[in-house]
Amino acid sequence: MLGPVEISGHQIRLRPAELSDFVQWQSVRMANRAHIEPFWVYSGKTWEERHTENTWVRELLDTRRAARRGHSVPLVIEVDGVLRGQCNLTAVDPVNGSAELGVWLDAGLSGRSVGALAAGLMVDFGMDVVGLRRIVAPSARSNGRVARLCTSAGFTRELTLPDFAPVGTGRFEDHDLWVLRPDHRASNALCTWALRLADPTAAPLSVRSVLVDLPGVGPQVRPRSASQATSIVRHRLGKIRRMRRGRGELSLPLVISTERPEVSLRRKRLRDRLRPALRGITTNRPVAVISPVRPGSRFDDAAPRVEFLVLVDGTPVAIISLLGVSVAHSITEIGVVVFDDPRRVHPPSAEQISAAVRAVIEHCVDTLGLDRVAGITDPGDGFATAVATGSGMTRQGILGDAVVREGSTADVALWLVMAETRQSVRTRS
């Protein structure tokens, strides 16, 4: 728990969510629909359907599971003892020291620097306590308030992704990636920066002085009603079903052919792990040819993951992974690892790997209806660049110091495939 901290006459505290928060959460979200929905990722459901008790229970269980695994820090914003918003660190990547920041707040508190303080507490906690060195705040380009606050806090707009995500009722909008590093923070501590937005004479504040205990997952989940108990049971049964199906809800074929007759793909099977040729796989380059956008993070087990073996003349030469597939958000991250097999006289060419990657991407777009496939490469790796280009991906820009490699940070190039049609998004009237 972080706080309480006083600002603009209010007591602010960040704490883990509880099942009993549902009524307050639903009330403030419904009252603030006009302020939140235009910038919220589109899901295909109505605003009312997205704020049922069952939705709250599932969100709480999923975020607590991610928190236990070290993937997120999900907290609610309590103002004078009442839930008025949420502040989360997600996609926490302990290997590369990065995470994403997300905040929403009751519009009735606008102009009082409450949201800035909540973000400041979370950022300072992430950097000063957890040791993060890079926090990203994705934001719709039209959200001018976020842009102004990010600039004031020391964030840098690293790049803009065109038509990156459907928001509101389904329109695709450009998104800016705002990035903050520890030495770029305003006043070198965002808690102090936020307090001085409301009172320029405010004394400096260290997040450690208001850290009551390490923000965790909160008390044990105990249902307070029959409906909550039913939601918990349904959530757990659904998780078991997904595990037993091997996440078969992703309608990707077991075998994929390519435009090159010597190159084919098939889904990786459990017994493949026992094959001597596939044990201890390494790459013949410093990094994988293409890596997921969050290269060091362990994706949550609840996120679908699919792996294909790439075969050239029947011999496995690479693995293509789809990580964190989200049909709701219409995106997946792709990884490509080429085997380092010294016995192979002729290693696979960039054209052969490109053909395999292109075939997988086509299925992502045509079968799953995804609109974006994302990955990163080493900007100096000519082979990786050739594979990404040949597979139809477009380089969006450079993410500075985004990965840790051999003890130091390194830049990476961000690549995207954007579907030419957007049939997977049905805009509501």
Side-chain angles (χ1 to χ4, degrees):
M1 182 173 67
L2 298 169
V5 179
E6 184 173 345
I7 188 170
S8 300
H10 297 287
Q11 293 288 322
I12 312 302
R13 186 172 68 138
L14 303 187
R15 61 166 177 82
E18 300 176 11
L19 284 177
S20 58
D21 290 323
F22 165 67
V23 173
Q24 288 183 0
W25 172 80
Q26 182 191 54
S27 175
V28 70
R29 292 279 296 188
M30 296 303 294
N32 283 270
R33 175 178 181 176
H35 303 282
I36 299 173
E37 188 180 29
F39 308 112
W40 215 251
V41 176
Y42 172 76
S43 75
K45 296 182 179 180
T46 66
W47 196 247
E48 291 76 15
E49 290 170 340
R50 299 178 74 173
H51 294 88
T52 63
E53 186 173 35
N54 181 61
T55 301
W56 173 248
V57 173
R58 293 176 65 87
E59 177 182 321
L60 186 143
L61 293 175
D62 286 339
T63 56
R64 285 195 173 192
R65 186 166 184 263
R68 285 194 299 269
R69 295 172 181 271
H71 298 167
S72 73
V73 183
L75 304 176
V76 299
I77 304 171
E78 195 176 78
V79 182
D80 300 326
V82 179
L83 189 154
R84 303 290 293 274
Q86 289 175 277
C87 185
N88 304 319
L89 282 179
T90 58
V92 176
D93 180 349
V95 174
N96 292 300
S98 63
E100 291 184 8
L101 175 69
V103 183
W104 70 265
L105 184 70
D106 186 347
L109 295 167
S110 179
R112 305 180 194 183
S113 302
V114 173
L117 177 60
L121 287 168
M122 185 66 91
V123 168
D124 287 350
F125 169 77
M127 290 185 168
D128 297 339
V129 180
V130 178
L132 299 178
R133 58 172 192 80
R134 176 184 168 90
I135 291 180
V136 180
S139 171
R141 194 71 190 272
S142 61
N143 197 337
R145 176 173 174 75
V146 169
R148 290 189 295 273
L149 282 174
C150 284
T151 301
S152 175
F155 282 78
T156 300
R157 187 168 62 196
E158 198 157 65
L159 51 85
T160 298
L161 302 174
D163 288 344
F164 183 66
V167 295
T169 56
R171 73 183 188 281
F172 277 75
E173 185 164 335
D174 298 353
H175 275 64
D176 293 327
L177 290 186
W178 294 91
V179 178
L180 182 69
R181 297 177 178 83
D183 56 347
H184 292 172
R185 281 178 291 177
S187 302
N188 218 27
L190 284 200
C191 291
T192 302
W193 161 78
L195 290 173
R196 290 177 176 171
L197 288 177
D199 178 6
T201 65
L205 177 67
S206 168
V207 71
R208 293 183 185 275
S209 67
V210 295
L211 179 60
V212 178
D213 51 34
L214 290 179
V217 296
Q220 183 178 355
V221 175
R222 296 186 184 278
R224 301 170 63 90
S225 65
S227 60
Q228 288 184 355
T230 301
S231 295
I232 292 173
V233 171
R234 290 174 58 191
H235 180 271
R236 290 173 178 169
L237 289 175
K239 185 171 66 174
I240 293 173
R241 285 196 299 269
R242 287 192 297 272
M243 291 175 63
R244 294 186 63 181
R245 286 201 308 263
R247 303 182 182 99
E249 69 276 10
L250 296 179
S251 302
L252 285 167
L254 297 178
V255 178
I256 298 178
S257 59
T258 74
E259 61 196 33
R260 299 180 68 100
E262 79 279 15
V263 180
S264 62
L265 301 103
R266 67 168 172 79
R267 293 279 285 270
K268 188 178 175 184
R269 300 184 291 253
L270 179 61
R271 64 174 177 267
D272 287 326
R273 302 180 186 276
L274 305 178
R275 296 178 61 181
L278 299 183
R279 285 192 209 142
I281 292 171
T282 60
T283 60
N284 52 10
R285 293 164 187 83
V287 295
V289 176
I290 301 177
S291 300
V293 177
R294 293 163 283 180
S297 58
R298 301 165 300 165
F299 278 75
D300 193 304
D301 291 344
R305 175 184 180 125
V306 180
E307 292 185 323
F308 288 92
L309 277 178
V310 180
L311 308 169
V312 173
D313 295 326
T315 301
V317 299
I319 287 180
I320 298 176
S321 301
L322 299 177
L323 303 163
V325 181
S326 173
V327 175
H329 295 170
S330 198
I331 189 170
T332 186
E333 296 178 15
I334 192 167
V336 182
V337 176
V338 176
F339 301 169
D340 182 11
D341 188 351
R343 299 169 300 174
R344 191 172 179 83
V345 178
H346 300 293
S349 66
E351 291 77 14
Q352 290 172 327
I353 301 299
S354 292
V357 175
R358 187 163 55 250
V360 172
I361 289 175
E362 287 173 355
H363 276 279
C364 287
V365 173
D366 298 338
T367 304
L368 294 184
L370 302 183
D371 291 286
R372 298 171 314 288
V373 180
I376 61 174
T377 68
D378 179 346
D381 189 334
F383 186 91
T385 299
V387 169
T389 303
S391 62
M393 305 185 85
T394 301
R395 182 165 139 163
Q396 301 296 310
I398 297 293
L399 303 178
D401 296 332
V403 301
V404 175
R405 188 180 303 143
E406 298 178 356
S408 61
T409 60
D411 298 347
V412 295
L414 174 64
W415 297 78
L416 283 179
V417 166
M418 305 289 292
E420 294 181 357
T421 59
R422 311 226 190 275
Q423 297 177 356
S424 62
V425 176
R426 300 185 298 275
T427 304
R428 300 192 301 273
S429 58

